[in-house]
Amino acid sequence: MEREEQQRKRAPGGFLRQGQLLNLLLSLMVALTLAGSTNAVPAETISQSSPIQPISMGTTLVAIKYRGGVVVGADSRTSVSGYVSHRFAHKIAPLTDHTVLLRSGSAADTQQIAESARMTFLHRRYRCGIVPTVSQVAHWIRSTVYEESTEGVVSLLVAGFDPESLKSRIFSVSPSGALIEEKTFAVSGSGSTYVLGYLDHHVSGDLSENEAIELCQKAIELAIDRDGSSGGRFNIIVINGLGRRIVETPLESIVSETPVRVAGFASTSSPLKKKKNL
């Protein structure tokens, strides 16, 4: 009787040890399977979440000086690789009464920089009575981009008119934070390479306002024709001693999706735009 009672007391412990041994064997088998698999993901990779890829704007930005001011223009297409996420985005951000920021690169990063700059200079104006010059705005943005250069990729243009000195100023801010003042014009974005030669040939230091508007409009049209990441319709703003003025663009500047038929091939859809004679 005593021997049976001792066996009954040891039985639960024995079952527990068998269960622990079974769990240990299963864990060992899983570990060996993962170690031998070529598709196994390292533990450090699983623990660290992959960074979210920013939405980048394939775009065309143009800024041209003329007698008495500066003309700026941009298309309105925002793209994520081959996907168009926004057809009518505003890429010209007003910062002061006489200064604007033209945005290209990561959409979220450029929006944050533009809004931060606008609020900063608005606070300085109403709190301290300080109206910044175009150069001061450009240097503030340059320092912001330089400090946050590892966070996102941006390429910006700062353009405006200084009422006190009566001078037009155009600055380009590179992704690394370098600041360069342009003499007569500046371009940025994925479509800029298609219009550099055209603007080099036509832009001079003695343009009228209408001539600068026509050149800016034509340059953006040419970029849209060649650059798949530029499109939508273009926005043009004139900045001079009177402030900012939006130029009404024709409805023909909107890109329409028209089916194109090619002999021997299925019907596809490609962006075609009505031509406008300048």
Side-chain angles (χ1 to χ4, degrees):
M1 293 295 291
E2 294 179 359
R3 183 178 299 176
E4 292 179 358
E5 290 180 1
Q6 292 177 359
Q7 291 179 355
R8 289 174 185 174
K9 291 180 180 180
R10 287 198 299 265
F15 285 126
L16 288 175
R17 287 193 294 271
Q18 291 178 5
Q20 292 175 354
L21 180 60
L22 181 60
N23 292 335
L24 181 61
L25 290 175
L26 290 175
S27 302
L28 183 59
M29 292 175 61
V30 172
L32 291 175
T33 303
L34 292 177
S37 176
T38 57
N39 298 326
V41 181
E44 60 271 13
T45 304
I46 298 175
S47 61
Q48 298 177 359
S49 58
S50 299
I52 300 175
Q53 296 298 326
I55 297 177
S56 60
M57 295 189 298
T59 185
T60 302
L61 307 178
V62 181
I64 302 174
K65 290 184 181 180
Y66 73 93
R67 297 191 305 267
V70 61
V71 175
V72 297
D75 70 309
S76 64
R77 174 177 293 179
T78 300
S79 58
V80 186
S81 183
Y83 169 72
V84 178
S85 61
H86 199 330
R87 293 183 61 197
F88 303 110
H90 295 282
K91 303 177 183 179
I92 305 176
L95 302 183
T96 67
D97 292 339
H98 298 86
T99 308
V100 296
L101 176 68
L102 289 80
R103 307 180 296 112
S104 67
S106 173
D109 293 314
T110 57
Q111 287 174 348
Q112 190 274 335
I113 292 173
E115 185 62 18
S116 179
R118 188 184 70 83
M119 295 303 296
T120 297
F121 295 117
L122 191 66
H123 177 269
R124 292 183 183 180
R125 176 181 177 181
Y126 288 105
R127 187 69 181 270
C128 307
I130 299 175
V131 179
T133 63
V134 181
S135 177
Q136 291 172 343
V137 174
H139 280 80
W140 186 94
I141 292 176
R142 178 259 174 198
S143 63
T144 302
V145 173
Y146 179 77
E147 292 173 358
E148 302 177 359
S149 59
T150 58
E151 300 296 330
V153 177
V154 299
S155 181
L156 308 171
L157 297 180
V158 181
F161 183 82
D162 289 329
E164 294 185 0
S165 62
L166 300 180
K167 290 184 179 180
S168 304
R169 311 289 295 273
I170 299 175
F171 294 89
S172 61
V173 183
S174 68
S176 62
L179 182 66
I180 301 174
E181 183 173 7
E182 308 291 348
K183 292 182 178 180
T184 54
F185 75 92
V187 292
S188 182
S190 59
S192 61
T193 56
Y194 299 102
V195 296
L196 277 173
Y198 175 79
L199 292 176
D200 279 332
H201 181 70
H202 290 87
V203 174
S204 63
D206 194 28
L207 294 175
S208 66
E209 180 178 312
N210 290 333
E211 290 174 340
I213 292 174
E214 291 181 357
L215 281 176
C216 184
Q217 177 178 330
K218 186 62 177 179
I220 297 175
E221 280 192 16
L222 293 173
I224 290 176
D225 285 340
R226 288 292 183 180
D227 181 30
S229 297
S230 300
R233 67 175 300 169
F234 44 80
N235 303 308
I236 297 178
I237 295 179
V238 177
I239 310 170
N240 50 33
L242 301 176
R244 301 187 310 269
R245 176 171 60 87
I246 299 176
V247 178
E248 295 294 334
T249 55
L251 294 178
E252 287 80 2
S253 65
I254 300 177
V255 175
S256 60
E257 299 293 335
T258 305
V260 179
R261 291 189 177 274
V262 181
F265 294 89
S267 176
T268 59
S269 178
S270 62
L272 295 179
K273 179 170 58 60
K274 295 181 180 179
K275 298 291 183 180
K276 182 178 182 300
N277 297 325
L278 298 177

